[in-house]
Amino acid sequence: MSTPVSAADRTLLVRLNRRSRAGIEELCEDLGVTATAVRQRLSRLSDAGMIDRQPVKIGRGRPKHLYGLTADGKRALGSNYQELADAMWSALSEVEDERTRSFLFGRLQDTLVSRYGGDSVGKGALRERLAGLRDALQVHGFTVEVDDSGPLPVLREHHCPYLDISEDDPQICELEQKVFERVLGTGVVLTRCCRDGDSCCEFTPDGSGLTQLGSVEAEVSR
C-alpha cells in the first residue's frame, strides 16, 4: 500500500529511525511539540502500519511504551518516487525511434491497467467498475472519489498525481485517460484537469464501448 506522508509525519519517522525506539517524552523533546500532538501522529502512523510499539517494564508501575518503525515505515522514509518517475518519463519521451517509444509507452499502459484493474478489467456494471477503480487508486495513495449525483458518474481526482510531469508534457494526461478507459471498458472524457488550472481532474465515462486491448506487442509487430 502506498500512503502519503506529511512533512511533520516524515520528521517523526526520521527521529524514530535515528533512535531505533523512543517514548513519547523523547519524541516531544526531539520535535518540540506537545504530547498530544505526538500521540496524534503516532496514532495516524500506527493506523497506516508504519510504526509499532513495545511495552518496556521500568521498575514498578505501568510499563512504558517505546515506538519504532515497521518495514513499511522504513520504506516510506526512503521513498522519493516522484523524482524517479520524472526521470523515467523524461527518458521515455526522449527515445527517438517512434516504434520503440510507442512500444515502451504501451507497456507502461499495460502495467497500469493491470495494477488498477487486475482481473476485473471491463467486468460488471459501469458503476461497479468505477467503484473498483476508485478503490484501487485509493490503495495506491490517490485522493479520489466517484460522484454519482449527476446524470453520468464522475471519477474525481482531488490532486494530480503527475503534476510536475503534466506541466511539461500533456501526454501523461492522455496515458491516464487511456488506462482508465481500458479498466472501465468504455470511453472516458477528461472534463476537468489540474493542468488547465482546475482544482481537480475529472473523468466522465461516455458510455461508448471499447475493445479491450491486450499487450501492445501485437500492435508494434504489425
Side-chain angles (χ1 to χ4, degrees), residues 40-61:
Q40 288 175 344
R41 295 182 196 176
L42 289 172
S43 176
R44 184 166 56 249
L45 292 168
S46 178
D47 289 342
M50 296 185 186
I51 64 170
D52 60 13
R53 70 176 189 172
Q54 291 181 355
V56 177
K57 188 72 173 179
I58 303 177
R60 295 184 177 182

Side-chain angles (χ1 to χ4, degrees), residues 157-207:
E157 289 179 344
H158 287 285
H159 72 277
C160 177
Y162 316 108
L163 186 59
D164 290 342
I165 297 176
S166 68
E167 288 177 347
D168 296 324
D169 189 352
Q171 284 189 93
I172 190 67
C173 303
E174 298 171 10
L175 173 70
E176 187 175 37
Q177 183 178 349
K178 290 177 181 178
V179 168
F180 291 171
E181 286 182 336
R182 289 180 55 186
V183 172
L184 297 174
T186 185
V188 171
V189 179
L190 180 58
T191 50
R192 298 181 68 187
C193 185
C194 293
R195 186 175 184 272
D196 297 330
D198 293 319
S199 60
C200 62
C201 295
E202 290 187 349
F203 300 85
T204 303
D206 64 11

Side-chain angles (χ1 to χ4, degrees), residues 54-76:
Q54 291 181 355
V56 177
K57 188 72 173 179
I58 303 177
R60 295 184 177 182
R62 300 173 62 182
K64 176 181 179 179
H65 287 99
L66 297 181
Y67 297 84
L69 299 188
T70 65
D72 284 345
K74 292 178 180 179
R75 279 192 288 268

Side-chain angles (χ1 to χ4, degrees), residues 122-144:
K123 297 178 181 178
L126 177 57
R127 280 174 169 78
E128 294 176 357
R129 283 175 268 157
L130 272 169
L133 176 56
R134 175 204 60 205
D135 293 347
L137 292 170
Q138 288 176 346
V139 165
H140 286 87
F142 289 62
T143 306
V144 62

Side-chain angles (χ1 to χ4, degrees), residues 23-36 38:
I24 290 177
E25 297 83 0
E26 292 89 349
L27 291 172
C28 287
E29 183 179 346
D30 285 349
L31 302 174
V33 298
T34 65
T36 298
V38 168

